[in-house]
Amino acid sequence: MPFLNDIENYKSLSIVGLEKNTGKTECLNYVLSRLRDSRKQIALTSIGIDGESCDQVTQTNKPEIELSEGMIFVTSELHYKQRKLISEVIDVSRQSTSLGRLVSAKVLSKGKVLLSGPVSNHSIKELIADLKNKGVELCIVDGALSRKSIGSPAVTEAMILATGAALSANITQLVYKTKYVYDLIQLPEIEMNLKAQLSEVDNGIWAIDSEGKFQDTGISSVLLIQKEKDKLFQHGNSFFVSGAVTDQFLDFLKNQKQISEIELIVRDFTRVFANPETYYAFVKRGGRIQVLNKTNLLAITINPVSPDGYRLNSDELKSALQDKVNVPVYDIKRL
C-alpha cells in the first residue's frame, strides 16, 4: 500500500467501515504490521468494541487486533484483563465506559487485544490530546458499526474507508453507495477567514449576507424549516448550518427558484445525513455545499466477501470503484 508512506505525515488516523464486516480490522492489522518498525510512538484505541474473535452480530469469525512491542493501546478495564500480551500500565483514566475505566498501557511483548475505547467523538478527541501529551506521535482509532463520525476531521486528521460485499451484494449499488460517501468526503473547504469566524458558532442556522457578515436567521434547527421557512432568506442565499443537514432541508432548498445561488456550509462531511438521491438532486439543480474542515482520505479498501457467504468478483469491484474515485483502492484480501 503506497499510502502507508503518507500515514506518518499525520498525528491521528481513523479506519472507518461503511458496514460491519467490510474488512476494517484486517486493514488495521495490515497497517499496524507495516508500521511495526516505525520510529514514531504509535497508540491505538477504538470507539465501541473492536478486536473480538467472533462477531457478536453475525456470529462469524473475526481477525483479532495484533499489537507489536512498544505500541500503546487504550481499552476498558474489563478488556484489559482479557489481553493476550504482556503490557505495562501507563495510566488509568477517570473517564469511564460501561465496561469500566479506560486503561492506557504499553506493549512489552507482542500479542492480541480486545479494544473498547471512549464512546463519543468528544471523548476520543480528548483522549488523542492526552496521548499526544504523553509522547504519542500517531494515534489510530478503530471504528465500530456505522460510526462514520470518527472520520470527522474534528476528531482525526486522516482516514481510511473500508467498504465491501457486506454493504451490498450488487457491485453497481456497492460502488454507488461508496462513491456517495467519497463525494461527501471531497466537499471543498471554505476560505480560512470564514473558517475562523464560523468555528465559534455552535448552534442554529446563520446567513452570510452580501457584505460577508453573519446574521442569525433565528432558526435553531433544520428540523424546523417548514415552520420557520419565511425567516431563512432574509439576509441572502448562503448559510452555515451548525448541526446536521437532512433530506427534508435539502428537499426544501432544491425546490427554491434561486437554487443556483444557494450555498451551504457545514462543519464536515459527517454532518450530511441526507440520502444520496436527495443530495445529488440538490447538487444537480445548482446547490453547493462546503465544509469548515475537510477530511484527508488516504485510501479505500474493499472486502469482496460477505458474512452471508457470497463473494463478489474482486477485480470487477476494484476496477468499477477505482474509475469513480481519485484515491487508491485495495482489496483487503490480497494485502
Side-chain angles (χ1 to χ4, degrees):
M1 281 190 185
F3 75 88
L4 285 169
N5 298 325
D6 298 328
I7 291 177
E8 293 193 73
N9 294 327
Y10 298 96
K11 296 177 182 177
S12 57
L13 168 75
S14 56
I15 300 178
V16 181
L18 287 184
E19 184 56 80
K20 209 166 178 67
N21 293 293
T22 51
K24 178 172 53 61
T25 304
E26 289 178 271
C27 177
L28 172 62
N29 279 332
Y30 179 79
V31 169
L32 291 175
S33 70
R34 294 297 298 270
L35 293 175
R36 186 179 295 125
D37 299 323
S38 173
R39 295 182 179 180
K40 284 195 170 186
Q41 178 62 68
I42 296 171
L44 180 72
T45 191
S46 164
I47 187 165
I49 300 175
D50 274 292
E52 67 267 40
S53 59
C54 181
D55 190 286
Q56 299 302 307
V57 177
T58 62
Q59 296 302 307
T60 53
N61 291 330
K62 286 189 61 181
E64 295 177 282
I65 295 173
E66 300 180 8
L67 300 184
S68 300
E69 183 178 339
M71 291 181 177
I72 291 173
F73 65 98
V74 181
T75 191
S76 67
E77 289 177 287
L78 175 65
H79 289 140
Y80 182 73
K81 295 175 183 177
Q82 299 174 6
R83 69 197 185 283
K84 300 176 184 177
L85 49 71
I86 299 173
S87 59
E88 175 186 12
V89 173
I90 297 173
D91 181 53
V92 179
S93 174
R94 285 178 290 182
Q95 186 180 158
S96 186
T97 70
S98 60
L99 301 178
R101 293 173 297 176
L102 295 177
V103 178
S104 300
K106 191 166 188 176
V107 179
L108 301 180
S109 177
K110 68 177 182 179
K112 299 176 180 179
V113 294
L114 185 64
L115 294 177
S116 50
V119 295
S120 70
N121 286 346
H122 178 72
S123 298
I124 283 280
K125 190 175 180 180
E126 286 188 339
L127 176 59
I128 291 174
D130 183 58
L131 289 169
K132 182 180 178 181
N133 291 334
K134 289 183 170 66
V136 169
E137 297 165 279
L138 171 61
C139 186
I140 301 176
V141 182
D142 194 14
L145 176 63
S146 300
R147 298 301 289 271
K148 292 195 296 294
S149 56
I150 67 161
S152 165
V155 180
T156 58
E157 295 180 356
M159 71 177 288
I160 299 170
L161 189 66
T163 188
L167 183 64
S168 176
N170 180 282
I171 289 180
T172 302
Q173 278 298 308
L174 174 53
V175 171
Y176 177 74
K177 291 179 179 180
T178 305
K179 172 65 162 53
Y180 172 55
V181 177
Y182 169 83
D183 286 343
L184 294 183
I185 293 171
Q186 299 302 321
L187 287 171
E189 194 170 63
I190 64 171
E191 299 174 0
M192 284 299 296
N193 62 323
L194 282 177
K195 180 186 290 191
Q197 298 176 68
L198 290 176
S199 295
E200 303 300 318
V201 179
D202 56 11
N203 59 71
I205 300 176
W206 291 70
I208 304 171
D209 64 24
S210 58
E211 297 180 357
K213 295 180 180 179
F214 300 104
Q215 307 286 346
D216 187 354
T217 65
I219 305 173
S220 60
S221 168
V222 297
L223 300 177
L224 302 174
I225 191 61
Q226 290 299 329
K227 291 177 61 177
E228 303 186 332
K229 58 186 177 182
D230 293 338
K231 298 180 180 179
L232 188 61
F233 298 104
Q234 296 178 82
H235 305 287
N237 298 305
S238 296
F239 308 97
F240 172 62
V241 180
S242 61
V245 169
T246 62
D247 281 302
Q248 181 191 36
F249 189 57
L250 290 187
D251 266 328
F252 169 75
L253 293 178
K254 73 180 175 63
N255 290 320
Q256 303 304 307
K257 61 182 180 181
Q258 74 275 31
I259 177 60
S260 62
E261 301 172 16
I262 294 176
E263 181 176 71
L264 297 181
I265 301 172
V266 296
R267 292 197 186 280
D268 56 68
F269 82 98
T270 68
R271 300 302 179 102
V272 181
F273 279 74
N275 290 319
E277 294 78 13
T278 307
Y279 167 79
Y280 287 129
F282 171 78
V283 172
K284 187 175 181 179
R285 295 191 182 187
R288 298 183 302 280
I289 301 181
Q290 291 184 291
V291 294
L292 284 187
N293 300 292
K294 185 176 179 179
T295 297
N296 297 295
L297 180 65
L298 302 185
I300 297 175
T301 62
I302 57 172
N303 179 8
V305 181
S306 165
D308 293 329
Y310 59 84
R311 185 185 188 105
L312 299 178
N313 184 301
S314 176
D315 292 332
E316 183 182 350
L317 172 57
K318 181 180 177 181
S319 177
L321 185 56
Q322 189 67 81
D323 284 343
K324 299 290 186 180
V325 301
N326 196 30
V327 295
V329 178
Y330 299 96
D331 182 348
I332 199 66
K333 296 296 185 182
R334 295 180 178 176
L335 294 179

